[in-house]
PDB file of all heavy atoms in Angstrom:
ATOM      1  N   ALA A  23       9.776  -6.369   6.632  1.00 40.00           N
ATOM      2  CA  ALA A  23       9.590  -5.057   6.160  1.00 40.00           C
ATOM      3  C   ALA A  23       9.284  -5.002   4.695  1.00 40.00           C
ATOM      4  O   ALA A  23       8.432  -4.329   4.162  1.00 40.00           O
ATOM      5  CB  ALA A  23      10.845  -4.157   6.366  1.00 40.00           C
ATOM      6  N   LEU A  24      10.024  -5.942   3.895  1.00 38.00           N
ATOM      7  CA  LEU A  24       9.746  -6.033   2.450  1.00 38.00           C
ATOM      8  C   LEU A  24       8.457  -6.548   2.163  1.00 38.00           C
ATOM      9  O   LEU A  24       7.657  -6.205   1.238  1.00 38.00           O
ATOM     10  CB  LEU A  24      10.862  -6.803   1.681  1.00 38.00           C
ATOM     11  CG  LEU A  24      12.255  -6.199   1.754  1.00 38.00           C
ATOM     12  CD1 LEU A  24      13.256  -7.054   1.234  1.00 38.00           C
ATOM     13  CD2 LEU A  24      12.251  -4.867   1.074  1.00 38.00           C
ATOM     14  N   ALA A  25       7.977  -7.530   2.940  1.00 38.00           N
ATOM     15  CA  ALA A  25       6.688  -8.101   2.759  1.00 38.00           C
ATOM     16  C   ALA A  25       5.534  -7.182   2.950  1.00 38.00           C
ATOM     17  O   ALA A  25       4.518  -7.193   2.281  1.00 38.00           O
ATOM     18  CB  ALA A  25       6.658  -9.423   3.615  1.00 38.00           C
ATOM     19  N   ALA A  26       5.664  -6.308   4.016  1.00 46.00           N
ATOM     20  CA  ALA A  26       4.684  -5.430   4.340  1.00 46.00           C
ATOM     21  C   ALA A  26       4.636  -4.393   3.185  1.00 46.00           C
ATOM     22  O   ALA A  26       3.455  -4.020   2.877  1.00 46.00           O
ATOM     23  CB  ALA A  26       5.094  -4.687   5.655  1.00 46.00           C
ATOM     24  N   ASP A  27       5.667  -3.925   2.658  1.00 66.00           N
ATOM     25  CA  ASP A  27       5.547  -3.077   1.437  1.00 66.00           C
ATOM     26  C   ASP A  27       4.855  -3.688   0.293  1.00 66.00           C
ATOM     27  O   ASP A  27       3.985  -3.019  -0.364  1.00 66.00           O
ATOM     28  CB  ASP A  27       6.877  -2.595   1.007  1.00 66.00           C
ATOM     29  CG  ASP A  27       7.489  -1.548   2.016  1.00 66.00           C
ATOM     30  OD1 ASP A  27       6.739  -1.073   2.866  1.00 66.00           O
ATOM     31  OD2 ASP A  27       8.777  -1.222   1.929  1.00 66.00           O
ATOM     32  N   SER A  28       5.111  -5.053   0.103  1.00 83.00           N
ATOM     33  CA  SER A  28       4.441  -5.669  -1.043  1.00 83.00           C
ATOM     34  C   SER A  28       2.958  -6.042  -0.774  1.00 83.00           C
ATOM     35  O   SER A  28       2.398  -6.569  -1.571  1.00 83.00           O
ATOM     36  CB  SER A  28       5.400  -6.684  -1.529  1.00 83.00           C
ATOM     37  OG  SER A  28       5.286  -7.792  -0.470  1.00 83.00           O
ATOM     38  N   GLU A  29       2.416  -5.993   0.563  1.00 93.00           N
ATOM     39  CA  GLU A  29       1.166  -6.420   0.824  1.00 93.00           C
ATOM     40  C   GLU A  29       0.275  -5.264   1.205  1.00 93.00           C
ATOM     41  O   GLU A  29      -0.919  -5.419   1.267  1.00 93.00           O
ATOM     42  CB  GLU A  29       1.179  -7.457   1.833  1.00 93.00           C
ATOM     43  CG  GLU A  29       1.800  -8.790   1.509  1.00 93.00           C
ATOM     44  CD  GLU A  29       1.788  -9.841   2.553  1.00 93.00           C
ATOM     45  OE1 GLU A  29       1.185  -9.514   3.692  1.00 93.00           O
ATOM     46  OE2 GLU A  29       2.250 -10.895   2.358  1.00 93.00           O
ATOM     47  N   GLY A  30       0.910  -4.069   1.600  1.00 97.00           N
ATOM     48  CA  GLY A  30       0.112  -2.945   1.993  1.00 97.00           C
ATOM     49  C   GLY A  30      -0.133  -1.943   0.927  1.00 97.00           C
ATOM     50  O   GLY A  30       0.225  -2.145  -0.298  1.00 97.00           O
ATOM     51  N   ALA A  31      -0.817  -0.767   1.292  1.00 98.00           N
ATOM     52  CA  ALA A  31      -1.020   0.269   0.446  1.00 98.00           C
ATOM     53  C   ALA A  31      -1.119   1.564   1.171  1.00 98.00           C
ATOM     54  O   ALA A  31      -1.363   1.608   2.371  1.00 98.00           O
ATOM     55  CB  ALA A  31      -2.238  -0.029  -0.290  1.00 98.00           C
ATOM     56  N   TRP A  32      -0.918   2.562   0.486  1.00 98.00           N
ATOM     57  CA  TRP A  32      -1.422   3.954   1.040  1.00 98.00           C
ATOM     58  C   TRP A  32      -1.882   4.849  -0.006  1.00 98.00           C
ATOM     59  O   TRP A  32      -1.609   4.617  -1.322  1.00 98.00           O
ATOM     60  CB  TRP A  32      -0.192   4.574   1.741  1.00 98.00           C
ATOM     61  CG  TRP A  32       1.099   4.945   0.875  1.00 98.00           C
ATOM     62  CD1 TRP A  32       2.089   4.116   0.580  1.00 98.00           C
ATOM     63  CD2 TRP A  32       1.269   5.929  -0.007  1.00 98.00           C
ATOM     64  NE1 TRP A  32       2.941   4.649  -0.242  1.00 98.00           N
ATOM     65  CE2 TRP A  32       2.402   5.845  -0.641  1.00 98.00           C
ATOM     66  CE3 TRP A  32       0.525   7.241  -0.195  1.00 98.00           C
ATOM     67  CZ2 TRP A  32       3.028   6.793  -1.621  1.00 98.00           C
ATOM     68  CZ3 TRP A  32       1.019   8.128  -1.238  1.00 98.00           C
ATOM     69  CH2 TRP A  32       2.268   7.903  -1.767  1.00 98.00           C
ATOM     70  N   LEU A  33      -2.587   5.833   0.326  1.00 98.00           N
ATOM     71  CA  LEU A  33      -3.171   6.852  -0.569  1.00 98.00           C
ATOM     72  C   LEU A  33      -3.194   8.158   0.085  1.00 98.00           C
ATOM     73  O   LEU A  33      -3.267   8.278   1.361  1.00 98.00           O
ATOM     74  CB  LEU A  33      -4.545   6.355  -1.033  1.00 98.00           C
ATOM     75  CG  LEU A  33      -5.607   6.264  -0.119  1.00 98.00           C
ATOM     76  CD1 LEU A  33      -6.376   7.445   0.229  1.00 98.00           C
ATOM     77  CD2 LEU A  33      -6.673   5.285  -0.552  1.00 98.00           C
ATOM     78  N   SER A  49     -10.188  -5.172   3.621  1.00 96.00           N
ATOM     79  CA  SER A  49      -9.005  -4.543   4.300  1.00 96.00           C
ATOM     80  C   SER A  49      -9.294  -3.200   5.069  1.00 96.00           C
ATOM     81  O   SER A  49     -10.096  -2.506   4.725  1.00 96.00           O
ATOM     82  CB  SER A  49      -7.954  -4.013   3.065  1.00 96.00           C
ATOM     83  OG  SER A  49      -7.622  -5.093   2.359  1.00 96.00           O
ATOM     84  N   TRP A  51      -8.434   0.177   6.366  1.00 98.00           N
ATOM     85  CA  TRP A  51      -7.653   1.379   6.079  1.00 98.00           C
ATOM     86  C   TRP A  51      -7.816   2.305   7.335  1.00 98.00           C
ATOM     87  O   TRP A  51      -8.822   2.574   7.824  1.00 98.00           O
ATOM     88  CB  TRP A  51      -8.249   2.008   4.854  1.00 98.00           C
ATOM     89  CG  TRP A  51      -7.956   1.267   3.580  1.00 98.00           C
ATOM     90  CD1 TRP A  51      -8.582   0.217   3.184  1.00 98.00           C
ATOM     91  CD2 TRP A  51      -6.921   1.490   2.691  1.00 98.00           C
ATOM     92  NE1 TRP A  51      -8.088  -0.257   1.948  1.00 98.00           N
ATOM     93  CE2 TRP A  51      -7.085   0.586   1.643  1.00 98.00           C
ATOM     94  CE3 TRP A  51      -6.004   2.545   2.551  1.00 98.00           C
ATOM     95  CZ2 TRP A  51      -6.245   0.515   0.494  1.00 98.00           C
ATOM     96  CZ3 TRP A  51      -5.120   2.525   1.351  1.00 98.00           C
ATOM     97  CH2 TRP A  51      -5.268   1.483   0.316  1.00 98.00           C
ATOM     98  N   ALA A  60      -3.137   0.906   4.641  1.00 98.00           N
ATOM     99  CA  ALA A  60      -3.653  -0.371   4.982  1.00 98.00           C
ATOM    100  C   ALA A  60      -2.397  -1.333   5.031  1.00 98.00           C
ATOM    101  O   ALA A  60      -1.530  -1.231   4.125  1.00 98.00           O
ATOM    102  CB  ALA A  60      -4.635  -0.934   3.843  1.00 98.00           C
ATOM    103  N   THR A  61      -2.318  -2.123   6.041  1.00 97.00           N
ATOM    104  CA  THR A  61      -1.036  -3.111   6.089  1.00 97.00           C
ATOM    105  C   THR A  61      -1.215  -4.188   5.077  1.00 97.00           C
ATOM    106  O   THR A  61      -0.129  -4.741   4.825  1.00 97.00           O
ATOM    107  CB  THR A  61      -0.821  -3.518   7.515  1.00 97.00           C
ATOM    108  OG1 THR A  61      -2.035  -4.128   7.933  1.00 97.00           O
ATOM    109  CG2 THR A  61      -0.523  -2.322   8.453  1.00 97.00           C
ATOM    110  N   LYS A  62      -2.400  -4.714   4.864  1.00 96.00           N
ATOM    111  CA  LYS A  62      -2.521  -5.775   3.885  1.00 96.00           C
ATOM    112  C   LYS A  62      -3.783  -5.558   3.032  1.00 96.00           C
ATOM    113  O   LYS A  62      -4.852  -5.275   3.658  1.00 96.00           O
ATOM    114  CB  LYS A  62      -2.670  -7.009   4.723  1.00 96.00           C
ATOM    115  CG  LYS A  62      -2.624  -8.304   3.862  1.00 96.00           C
ATOM    116  CD  LYS A  62      -2.451  -9.581   4.682  1.00 96.00           C
ATOM    117  CE  LYS A  62      -2.189 -10.772   3.754  1.00 96.00           C
ATOM    118  NZ  LYS A  62      -1.847 -11.933   4.446  1.00 96.00           N
ATOM    119  N   VAL A  63      -3.558  -5.673   1.767  1.00 97.00           N
ATOM    120  CA  VAL A  63      -4.651  -5.471   0.751  1.00 97.00           C
ATOM    121  C   VAL A  63      -4.790  -6.732  -0.103  1.00 97.00           C
ATOM    122  O   VAL A  63      -3.786  -7.593  -0.359  1.00 97.00           O
ATOM    123  CB  VAL A  63      -4.614  -4.192   0.048  1.00 97.00           C
ATOM    124  CG1 VAL A  63      -4.690  -3.033   0.957  1.00 97.00           C
ATOM    125  CG2 VAL A  63      -3.223  -4.139  -0.650  1.00 97.00           C
ATOM    126  N   ARG A  64      -5.959  -6.830  -0.791  1.00 95.00           N
ATOM    127  CA  ARG A  64      -6.023  -7.958  -1.758  1.00 95.00           C
ATOM    128  C   ARG A  64      -5.161  -7.636  -3.054  1.00 95.00           C
ATOM    129  O   ARG A  64      -4.811  -6.640  -3.204  1.00 95.00           O
ATOM    130  CB  ARG A  64      -7.544  -7.923  -2.261  1.00 95.00           C
ATOM    131  CG  ARG A  64      -8.429  -8.406  -1.260  1.00 95.00           C
ATOM    132  CD  ARG A  64      -9.848  -8.445  -1.813  1.00 95.00           C
ATOM    133  NE  ARG A  64     -10.016  -9.267  -3.077  1.00 95.00           N
ATOM    134  CZ  ARG A  64     -10.837  -9.201  -3.959  1.00 95.00           C
ATOM    135  NH1 ARG A  64     -11.875  -8.187  -3.726  1.00 95.00           N
ATOM    136  NH2 ARG A  64     -10.962  -9.962  -4.957  1.00 95.00           N
ATOM    137  N   ALA A  65      -4.805  -8.790  -3.688  1.00 94.00           N
ATOM    138  CA  ALA A  65      -3.950  -8.687  -4.916  1.00 94.00           C
ATOM    139  C   ALA A  65      -4.887  -8.412  -6.071  1.00 94.00           C
ATOM    140  O   ALA A  65      -5.411  -9.176  -6.613  1.00 94.00           O
ATOM    141  CB  ALA A  65      -3.308 -10.085  -5.009  1.00 94.00           C
ATOM    142  N   LEU A  66      -4.897  -7.131  -6.339  1.00 93.00           N
ATOM    143  CA  LEU A  66      -5.651  -6.541  -7.548  1.00 93.00           C
ATOM    144  C   LEU A  66      -4.621  -5.759  -8.256  1.00 93.00           C
ATOM    145  O   LEU A  66      -3.752  -5.287  -7.904  1.00 93.00           O
ATOM    146  CB  LEU A  66      -6.837  -5.564  -7.079  1.00 93.00           C
ATOM    147  CG  LEU A  66      -7.957  -6.162  -6.122  1.00 93.00           C
ATOM    148  CD1 LEU A  66      -8.722  -5.018  -5.697  1.00 93.00           C
ATOM    149  CD2 LEU A  66      -8.670  -7.111  -7.033  1.00 93.00           C
ATOM    150  N   PRO A  67      -5.087  -5.681  -9.561  1.00 95.00           N
ATOM    151  CA  PRO A  67      -4.218  -4.655 -10.516  1.00 95.00           C
ATOM    152  C   PRO A  67      -4.291  -3.273  -9.837  1.00 95.00           C
ATOM    153  O   PRO A  67      -5.361  -2.837  -9.360  1.00 95.00           O
ATOM    154  CB  PRO A  67      -4.904  -4.634 -11.794  1.00 95.00           C
ATOM    155  CG  PRO A  67      -5.679  -6.010 -11.799  1.00 95.00           C
ATOM    156  CD  PRO A  67      -6.105  -6.259 -10.395  1.00 95.00           C
ATOM    157  N   VAL A  68      -3.235  -2.670  -9.797  1.00 96.00           N
ATOM    158  CA  VAL A  68      -3.072  -1.281  -9.154  1.00 96.00           C
ATOM    159  C   VAL A  68      -4.153  -0.270  -9.682  1.00 96.00           C
ATOM    160  O   VAL A  68      -4.788   0.420  -8.927  1.00 96.00           O
ATOM    161  CB  VAL A  68      -1.650  -0.707  -9.238  1.00 96.00           C
ATOM    162  CG1 VAL A  68      -1.271  -0.290 -10.639  1.00 96.00           C
ATOM    163  CG2 VAL A  68      -1.622   0.400  -8.288  1.00 96.00           C
ATOM    164  N   ALA A  69      -4.376  -0.314 -11.032  1.00 96.00           N
ATOM    165  CA  ALA A  69      -5.361   0.671 -11.564  1.00 96.00           C
ATOM    166  C   ALA A  69      -6.757   0.356 -11.099  1.00 96.00           C
ATOM    167  O   ALA A  69      -7.596   1.285 -10.784  1.00 96.00           O
ATOM    168  CB  ALA A  69      -5.341   0.602 -13.118  1.00 96.00           C
ATOM    169  N   ALA A  71      -7.606  -1.176  -8.357  1.00 97.00           N
ATOM    170  CA  ALA A  71      -7.779  -0.867  -6.826  1.00 97.00           C
ATOM    171  C   ALA A  71      -7.883   0.695  -6.717  1.00 97.00           C
ATOM    172  O   ALA A  71      -8.737   1.125  -5.874  1.00 97.00           O
ATOM    173  CB  ALA A  71      -6.431  -1.257  -6.139  1.00 97.00           C
ATOM    174  N   CYS A  72      -7.245   1.283  -7.421  1.00 97.00           N
ATOM    175  CA  CYS A  72      -7.292   2.888  -7.360  1.00 97.00           C
ATOM    176  C   CYS A  72      -8.634   3.320  -7.747  1.00 97.00           C
ATOM    177  O   CYS A  72      -9.280   4.165  -7.123  1.00 97.00           O
ATOM    178  CB  CYS A  72      -6.317   3.464  -8.462  1.00 97.00           C
ATOM    179  SG  CYS A  72      -6.188   5.284  -8.375  1.00 97.00           S
ATOM    180  N   LEU A  75     -11.106   2.611  -4.961  1.00 96.00           N
ATOM    181  CA  LEU A  75     -10.984   3.568  -3.665  1.00 96.00           C
ATOM    182  C   LEU A  75     -11.374   4.950  -4.052  1.00 96.00           C
ATOM    183  O   LEU A  75     -12.010   5.665  -3.266  1.00 96.00           O
ATOM    184  CB  LEU A  75      -9.608   3.391  -3.269  1.00 96.00           C
ATOM    185  CG  LEU A  75      -9.209   2.239  -2.543  1.00 96.00           C
ATOM    186  CD1 LEU A  75      -7.742   1.893  -2.492  1.00 96.00           C
ATOM    187  CD2 LEU A  75      -9.782   2.101  -1.071  1.00 96.00           C
ATOM    188  N   PHE A  85      -1.114   7.509  -4.882  1.00 98.00           N
ATOM    189  CA  PHE A  85      -1.494   6.141  -4.669  1.00 98.00           C
ATOM    190  C   PHE A  85      -0.446   5.236  -4.771  1.00 98.00           C
ATOM    191  O   PHE A  85       0.382   5.313  -5.747  1.00 98.00           O
ATOM    192  CB  PHE A  85      -2.717   5.763  -5.534  1.00 98.00           C
ATOM    193  CG  PHE A  85      -3.382   4.473  -5.299  1.00 98.00           C
ATOM    194  CD1 PHE A  85      -3.937   4.183  -3.948  1.00 98.00           C
ATOM    195  CD2 PHE A  85      -3.378   3.526  -6.166  1.00 98.00           C
ATOM    196  CE1 PHE A  85      -4.558   3.012  -3.730  1.00 98.00           C
ATOM    197  CE2 PHE A  85      -3.969   2.177  -5.861  1.00 98.00           C
ATOM    198  CZ  PHE A  85      -4.693   2.136  -4.645  1.00 98.00           C
ATOM    199  N   ASN A  86      -0.267   4.324  -3.836  1.00 98.00           N
ATOM    200  CA  ASN A  86       0.812   3.224  -3.816  1.00 98.00           C
ATOM    201  C   ASN A  86       0.040   2.006  -3.364  1.00 98.00           C
ATOM    202  O   ASN A  86      -0.426   2.026  -2.286  1.00 98.00           O
ATOM    203  CB  ASN A  86       1.917   3.635  -2.883  1.00 98.00           C
ATOM    204  CG  ASN A  86       3.047   2.531  -3.077  1.00 98.00           C
ATOM    205  OD1 ASN A  86       2.933   1.423  -2.853  1.00 98.00           O
ATOM    206  ND2 ASN A  86       4.319   3.002  -3.338  1.00 98.00           N
ATOM    207  N   TYR A  87       0.132   0.943  -4.121  1.00 97.00           N
ATOM    208  CA  TYR A  87      -0.658  -0.324  -3.946  1.00 97.00           C
ATOM    209  C   TYR A  87       0.264  -1.457  -3.953  1.00 97.00           C
ATOM    210  O   TYR A  87       0.881  -1.731  -5.086  1.00 97.00           O
ATOM    211  CB  TYR A  87      -1.789  -0.497  -4.895  1.00 97.00           C
ATOM    212  CG  TYR A  87      -2.940  -1.281  -4.522  1.00 97.00           C
ATOM    213  CD1 TYR A  87      -3.790  -1.127  -3.445  1.00 97.00           C
ATOM    214  CD2 TYR A  87      -2.977  -2.668  -5.051  1.00 97.00           C
ATOM    215  CE1 TYR A  87      -4.768  -2.033  -3.063  1.00 97.00           C
ATOM    216  CE2 TYR A  87      -3.944  -3.543  -4.651  1.00 97.00           C
ATOM    217  CZ  TYR A  87      -4.750  -3.276  -3.709  1.00 97.00           C
ATOM    218  OH  TYR A  87      -5.827  -4.153  -3.314  1.00 97.00           O
ATOM    219  N   ARG A  88       0.444  -2.217  -2.922  1.00 96.00           N
ATOM    220  CA  ARG A  88       1.280  -3.367  -2.938  1.00 96.00           C
ATOM    221  C   ARG A  88       2.732  -3.121  -3.416  1.00 96.00           C
ATOM    222  O   ARG A  88       3.233  -3.814  -4.242  1.00 96.00           O
ATOM    223  CB  ARG A  88       0.636  -4.557  -3.664  1.00 96.00           C
ATOM    224  CG  ARG A  88      -0.715  -5.032  -2.968  1.00 96.00           C
ATOM    225  CD  ARG A  88      -1.328  -6.159  -3.621  1.00 96.00           C
ATOM    226  NE  ARG A  88      -0.638  -7.457  -3.548  1.00 96.00           N
ATOM    227  CZ  ARG A  88      -0.609  -8.193  -2.552  1.00 96.00           C
ATOM    228  NH1 ARG A  88      -1.372  -8.120  -1.594  1.00 96.00           N
ATOM    229  NH2 ARG A  88       0.002  -9.342  -2.587  1.00 96.00           N
ATOM    230  N   GLY A  89       3.349  -1.983  -3.010  1.00 95.00           N
ATOM    231  CA  GLY A  89       4.637  -1.687  -3.476  1.00 95.00           C
ATOM    232  C   GLY A  89       4.683  -0.974  -4.862  1.00 95.00           C
ATOM    233  O   GLY A  89       5.786  -0.822  -5.270  1.00 95.00           O
ATOM    234  N   GLU A  90       3.536  -0.784  -5.536  1.00 95.00           N
ATOM    235  CA  GLU A  90       3.563  -0.266  -6.966  1.00 95.00           C
ATOM    236  C   GLU A  90       2.878   1.170  -6.904  1.00 95.00           C
ATOM    237  O   GLU A  90       1.742   1.282  -6.827  1.00 95.00           O
ATOM    238  CB  GLU A  90       2.831  -1.125  -7.772  1.00 95.00           C
ATOM    239  CG  GLU A  90       3.003  -0.946  -9.201  1.00 95.00           C
ATOM    240  CD  GLU A  90       2.206  -1.881 -10.117  1.00 95.00           C
ATOM    241  OE1 GLU A  90       2.047  -2.961  -9.735  1.00 95.00           O
ATOM    242  OE2 GLU A  90       1.817  -1.361 -11.303  1.00 95.00           O
ATOM    243  N   PRO A  91       3.810   2.190  -6.915  1.00 96.00           N
ATOM    244  CA  PRO A  91       3.400   3.592  -7.000  1.00 96.00           C
ATOM    245  C   PRO A  91       2.693   3.955  -8.390  1.00 96.00           C
ATOM    246  O   PRO A  91       3.272   3.472  -9.323  1.00 96.00           O
ATOM    247  CB  PRO A  91       4.546   4.352  -6.715  1.00 96.00           C
ATOM    248  CG  PRO A  91       5.711   3.556  -7.199  1.00 96.00           C
ATOM    249  CD  PRO A  91       5.359   2.153  -7.012  1.00 96.00           C
ATOM    250  N   MET A  92       1.780   4.711  -8.284  1.00 97.00           N
ATOM    251  CA  MET A  92       1.114   5.303  -9.565  1.00 97.00           C
ATOM    252  C   MET A  92       1.680   6.725  -9.757  1.00 97.00           C
ATOM    253  O   MET A  92       1.815   7.462  -8.872  1.00 97.00           O
ATOM    254  CB  MET A  92      -0.447   5.392  -9.458  1.00 97.00           C
ATOM    255  CG  MET A  92      -1.011   4.042  -9.444  1.00 97.00           C
ATOM    256  SD  MET A  92      -2.866   4.225  -9.480  1.00 97.00           S
ATOM    257  CE  MET A  92      -3.190   4.362 -11.221  1.00 97.00           C
TER     258      MET A  92
END
Side-chain angles (χ1 to χ4, degrees):
L24 293 174
D27 285 347
S28 67
E29 292 183 1
W32 62 264
L33 60 84
S49 299
W51 289 77
T61 56
K62 190 168 184 174
V63 292
R64 289 182 56 199
L66 296 174
V68 67
C72 182
L75 286 159
F85 188 59
N86 184 305
Y87 197 77
R88 297 180 65 88
E90 190 176 335
M92 290 184 87

